[in-house]
Amino acid sequence: YTRGSEYSRDAAAILKEARQMVANGTKDITLLGQNVNAYHGTGTDGKTWGLGRLIRELAEIENLKRIRYSTSHPCDVQDDLIEAHRDVPQLMPHLHLPVQSGSNKILKAMNRKHTIEDYITTLEKFRTAQPDIQFSSDFIIGFPGETDDDFEDTYNLVQKIGFASAYSFKYSPRPGTPAANMTHLIREDIKDARLQRLQSLLFEQALSFNQSFIGHPVEVLFDTQQHKEGQLHGRTRYNTAVYAMGPSRLSGQIVDVIVESAGQMALHGAIRIESDI
């Protein structure tokens, strides 16, 4: 309600903007929207396009190497988007799909419309279409009425799926929302304990995922220089941050980097091939 009515830009305007960006050197484009996978814009053929069709058209732009989108809603996932992950090599193998809670009771109280069973089935479809895809998500802990069992459902869901990264927060009331007037509020110390336990698991999963790249090459699109002289920053296909020493002329280039160390938030490595760039 705060954002107003949902609308979708015409595909022609998006494609025109993307072509201009690529002509100016852009190699990685992210489609942004709430909820982006509910996109239903008018296509260049006069028909209504979904996000999957739009992505296919973007992939036809020469020299556009990477396509991403954010943020999605579980209820708005359509088959054409899943099929795009199967068919479009420029579409990166990463999906941010907020689940918020692992309890169907809490999801209903949040008015989220999806169930945990729906969510798991959706992720399985994406994995079938693009086997190397990785997931990230959002979690709200301590929503009014959340019991120990509800939290355990969330914890068990995270254990079952395994996330490359995630955002997790304690519930706090927002004026004007139905939840702001709910009873059965959760004590702050309980919310703190639950959040710390969940974040410990999420951090462990993220670290394990990042450490799996140590000793291996990853494709990195360098975008900026860092404060440390000679250090470059870039992103992998999975949108993980990477830091490596190299010349500034590599900014805007996709380069192989051998990962030497990894933390929960980023990879650090050495550029393997520079002579071919």
Side-chain angles (χ1 to χ4, degrees), residues 3-78:
R3 292 188 297 265
S5 299
E6 182 181 271
Y7 69 95
S8 297
R9 294 175 62 195
D10 289 348
I14 298 172
L15 293 169
K16 179 181 179 181
E17 181 180 349
R19 292 188 184 102
Q20 290 173 339
M21 293 173 65
V22 173
N24 290 329
T26 296
K27 291 186 173 65
D28 187 325
I29 283 179
T30 301
L31 302 171
L32 295 173
Q34 289 283 2
N35 300 305
V36 69
N37 58 324
Y39 177 77
H40 53 280
T42 301
T44 55
D45 56 3
K47 299 179 181 180
T48 299
W49 288 5
L51 184 62
R53 175 64 187 278
L54 177 63
I55 287 171
R56 289 178 186 273
E57 295 297 326
L58 286 167
E60 295 299 318
I61 300 175
E62 188 176 0
N63 294 323
L64 177 57
K65 304 299 185 182
R66 294 179 171 185
I67 302 172
R68 310 178 193 271
Y69 58 92
S70 187
T71 293
S72 301
H73 192 290
C75 289
D76 295 318
V77 174
Q78 302 296 322

Side-chain angles (χ1 to χ4, degrees), residues 100-230:
Q100 307 300 352
S101 173
S103 163
N104 283 332
K105 185 192 82 177
I106 296 301
L107 289 176
K108 185 177 180 180
M110 290 178 172
N111 197 28
R112 292 289 173 178
K113 305 299 185 186
H114 64 279
T115 67
I116 292 307
E117 292 76 18
D118 295 336
Y119 186 81
I120 292 173
T121 298
T122 298
L123 296 192
E124 289 173 348
K125 289 180 178 179
F126 276 107
R127 278 183 170 145
T128 298
Q130 195 174 37
D132 61 337
I133 195 169
Q134 295 295 324
F135 303 113
S136 58
S137 194
D138 294 344
F139 296 91
I140 297 174
I141 300 304
F143 192 82
E146 182 186 78
T147 64
D148 287 343
D149 286 343
D150 294 324
F151 172 73
E152 289 301 325
D153 286 342
T154 299
Y155 191 88
N156 292 336
L157 177 71
V158 173
Q159 284 185 314
K160 178 176 182 177
I161 294 175
F163 291 95
S165 62
Y167 301 97
S168 53
F169 310 91
K170 290 188 299 182
Y171 166 78
S172 59
R174 292 292 185 267
T177 63
N181 298 317
M182 286 183 176
T183 56
H184 304 294
L185 300 180
I186 310 302
R187 293 198 333 243
E188 286 299 315
D189 61 323
I190 294 177
K191 287 194 287 187
D192 285 337
R194 290 176 181 171
L195 182 63
Q196 289 176 18
R197 184 173 168 224
L198 181 67
Q199 287 184 339
S200 177
L201 175 60
L202 291 169
F203 291 168
E204 177 184 319
Q205 290 183 347
L207 180 61
S208 176
F209 173 68
N210 287 345
Q211 288 180 335
S212 70
F213 293 102
I214 294 177
H216 302 287
V218 294
E219 286 186 350
V220 178
L221 174 56
F222 287 120
D223 50 25
T224 60
Q225 288 183 280
Q226 296 301 295
H227 296 301
K228 185 176 180 181
E229 185 176 356

